[in-house]
Amino acid sequence: ISLAAILIRYVSKQSLLDSIKHKSNLHLSGWFYKGSVSFQLFVSIGLVFCTMVMMKQLDYLLNSKELGLNRHNIGVIASGYGFEGVPFKEILEQMPDVIECLYGFYTPIPKMSFYSYEVREWEGQADKEQRIKLEKETINQDYANFFQVEVLEGNMLDEKDGKEAVLINEAAAKAFGWDHPIGKKIHLNEKCIVKGVIKNISYNAPIHPVAPAMFFLPDNIGRGGIIFKVKEGTWNVVSEKIKAEVNKVN
């Protein structure tokens, strides 16, 4: 009887210890479960926040006028090998969803073509050893209207201007140290006179500084591709129609 009592007491004690340990494990596992759920919740909130920030940034890049030009609902047909026989101009003109076309310019986004100068002499130059690298680009009133380029000071170039008339951007005015650039002279192979200043155009991400640039009238409208603008919400329809017309020709 004594032996049985001892065994019963031992088994009861062990069961009690096992029960305490089990409850302790349940307590620890409960904290681990709660901690992992909380961690996943914080990670999910962080991902949602980052996604919203990226969407805001993309919307800003697509629609903001602070980047110097309007690129919303704009498409480009660049000249390419194998498509010489496709009448893109006539195709676009027959589409009611295409509201405007611009000819004779390379697409600015992404920038397809540009030249650069190293300017060694300009009006008001303080340091004769200083050099400024200027990008050479083309612009006219049609281009400015299409992309909603803002003239901050002076006037847009027109056909009545001589070859010496140019526009510069804000970055160029700052590089030359000019507070009032209109009428200032830049000496390249020939003298150029500043007629106007346009808002900086961000061709790259806004984190990259805008390069100083000088703008001339285009000398050959036949260059470049076709830049077109479509009605809101019709981009997929227009692109599919263009593909269908190209397949008919090719």
Side-chain angles (χ1 to χ4, degrees):
I1 296 174
S2 299
L3 181 61
I6 293 172
L7 289 174
I8 291 171
R9 185 177 179 183
Y10 175 78
V11 171
S12 300
K13 186 178 181 180
Q14 288 298 109
S15 298
L16 179 62
L17 290 174
D18 290 341
S19 179
I20 293 172
K21 288 180 180 180
H22 182 64
K23 289 182 179 179
S24 177
N25 290 335
L26 284 175
H27 181 69
L28 292 175
S29 63
W31 276 108
F32 177 77
Y33 175 77
K34 292 178 181 178
S36 63
V37 170
S38 299
F39 177 74
Q40 293 178 45
L41 178 62
F42 285 126
V43 169
S44 300
I45 293 173
L47 290 174
V48 171
F49 175 77
C50 292
T51 302
M52 291 178 64
V53 170
M54 290 179 63
M55 290 177 66
K56 288 286 186 182
Q57 290 177 333
L58 289 172
D59 181 70
Y60 178 82
L61 290 174
L62 288 172
N63 301 316
S64 175
K65 295 182 180 180
E66 293 301 316
L67 301 180
L69 53 74
N70 177 26
R71 64 196 77 188
H72 187 57
N73 288 332
I74 290 176
V76 178
I77 298 177
S79 56
Y81 179 77
F83 297 97
E84 297 86 351
V86 181
F88 287 114
K89 181 177 179 180
E90 290 75 13
I91 291 172
L92 291 174
E93 289 176 348
Q94 294 173 6
M95 291 185 182
D97 292 324
V98 176
I99 57 179
E100 190 176 358
C101 291
L102 181 68
Y103 306 101
F105 289 93
Y106 293 102
T107 171
I109 307 292
K111 186 183 290 186
M112 299 290 290
S113 176
F114 71 94
Y115 301 94
S116 62
Y117 295 108
E118 184 180 71
V119 182
R120 297 168 178 253
E121 184 181 354
W122 61 91
E123 186 175 337
Q125 183 178 6
D127 183 0
K128 298 300 180 182
E129 299 299 319
Q130 184 182 3
R131 302 290 183 266
I132 295 177
K133 187 176 181 180
L134 275 184
E135 293 185 356
K136 176 187 176 183
E137 301 177 38
T138 57
I139 196 171
N140 62 13
Q141 191 62 57
D142 292 337
Y143 184 97
N145 292 340
F146 186 91
F147 285 108
Q148 299 178 18
V149 177
E150 184 179 357
V151 179
L152 301 176
E153 189 176 349
N155 297 289
M156 178 56 60
L157 300 176
D158 58 49
E159 300 299 331
K160 297 178 182 178
D161 296 321
K163 291 185 178 181
E164 63 181 12
V166 298
L167 299 184
I168 61 174
N169 63 359
E170 296 173 281
K174 182 178 180 180
F176 288 126
W178 293 335
D179 293 327
H180 304 287
I182 305 303
K184 299 291 187 181
K185 298 178 179 64
I186 303 170
H187 298 276
L188 299 174
N189 297 329
E190 55 187 22
K191 178 179 66 178
C192 298
I193 300 176
V194 177
K195 184 181 179 182
V197 180
I198 67 170
K199 189 177 183 65
N200 282 339
I201 298 175
S202 297
Y203 299 108
N204 301 308
I207 60 173
H208 299 292
V210 176
M214 184 162 53
F215 298 79
F216 298 82
L217 283 173
D219 57 0
N220 188 342
I221 298 298
R223 295 178 182 174
I226 303 175
I227 308 174
F228 60 95
K229 189 179 298 184
V230 302
K231 295 178 182 178
E232 186 70 37
T234 63
W235 174 253
N236 291 334
V237 174
V238 171
S239 61
E240 289 300 322
K241 285 183 180 179
I242 292 174
K243 291 177 184 178
E245 293 295 331
V246 170
N247 291 333
K248 288 179 183 179
V249 177
N250 290 347

